[in-house]
Amino acid sequence: VVSREEGRIASVAYTRAGDRHTAAEVGVETVAPLRGRGHAARAVAGWLLAVRDAGGTPLFCPAADDVAALGLARSIGLEAFAHALHWT
């Protein structure tokens, strides 16, 4: 699912093709100069509806320190069910 600005793709929300009919975890990418304009939130909201319409369960699992992803989730009413931890 994409969000556009002036006809150009600004943000893309996606999941692996096989996942959308079961549990699907979202990924989102936004063109750097267009961040902070709500494009990721619009793309993720559209993705959420597409996964639900396909009978899937949408999942959101940000890194615990990913402030932007946590803010995006709150802005569209999502709650994190888990946080990704990275061991070094």
Side-chain angles (χ1 to χ4, degrees):
V1 177
V2 300
S3 175
R4 297 180 182 271
E5 182 169 303
E6 297 179 3
R8 298 185 330 213
I9 293 174
S11 191
V12 177
Y14 58 90
T15 196
R16 291 192 326 242
D19 287 350
R20 66 184 175 86
H21 297 291
T22 57
E25 184 176 352
V26 70
V28 65
E29 301 291 335
T30 302
V31 176
L34 302 178
R35 292 181 182 152
R37 298 183 185 183
H39 290 294
R42 284 191 290 280
V44 171
W47 169 88
L48 175 74
L49 293 175
V51 170
R52 284 186 178 162
D53 287 350
T57 301
L59 302 176
F60 172 70
C61 184
D65 61 351
D66 191 339
V67 176
L70 294 169
L72 180 150
R74 279 191 303 275
S75 77
I76 61 172
L78 294 178
E79 294 181 23
F81 77 96
H83 293 283
L85 299 176
H86 302 278
W87 300 94
T88 57

